[in-house]
Amino acid sequence: NKRFVSGKAETFKDWSPKNLEALASYGQNPMASIVGCADSRAPVELLFDAQPGDLFVCRNAGNTLTNAEGSIVGSLEFSINALGVKLVVFLGH
């Protein structure tokens, strides 16, 4: 929280080839799945000060899950079952 209060975001601070290669080679290990709005004014990675691979982000208009077979539901199931995500956040604005 000190970093947030300071206003000095660290998002995407290290896009070095080494880190990107590791992400491609070893896969992602997200700490949370985020269902966020498709609105480009709400960039989830920036809001959470996250690095590539930190979050599994699902975006759609209005954060709706109207159908159990929908791609958002399937993507969340994948993040939980295959990637081991323990936290799902629905982010509204």
Side-chain angles (χ1 to χ4, degrees):
N1 289 339
K2 288 181 184 179
R3 196 268 329 133
F4 179 81
V5 171
S6 74
K8 297 178 183 175
E10 296 183 9
T11 303
F12 304 129
K13 67 180 179 179
D14 192 357
W15 281 77
S16 70
K18 178 182 173 186
N19 285 348
L20 294 177
E21 287 172 16
L23 190 59
S25 297
Y26 300 109
Q28 56 184 319
N29 186 24
M31 63 182 143
S33 288
I34 312 292
V35 177
C37 185
D39 189 331
S40 64
R41 298 169 295 174
V44 176
E45 293 81 2
L46 291 176
L47 294 172
F48 284 89
D49 202 17
Q51 300 299 312
D54 287 349
L55 300 173
F56 190 88
V57 180
C58 302
R59 296 174 72 142
N60 71 346
N63 296 348
T64 58
L65 299 174
T66 58
N67 186 332
E69 291 87 32
S71 63
I72 296 290
V73 173
S75 294
L76 290 174
E77 288 175 348
F78 172 79
S79 72
I80 293 165
N81 295 324
L83 301 176
V85 166
K86 304 283 187 226
L87 174 67
V88 176
V89 176
F90 288 83
L91 179 66
H93 69 97

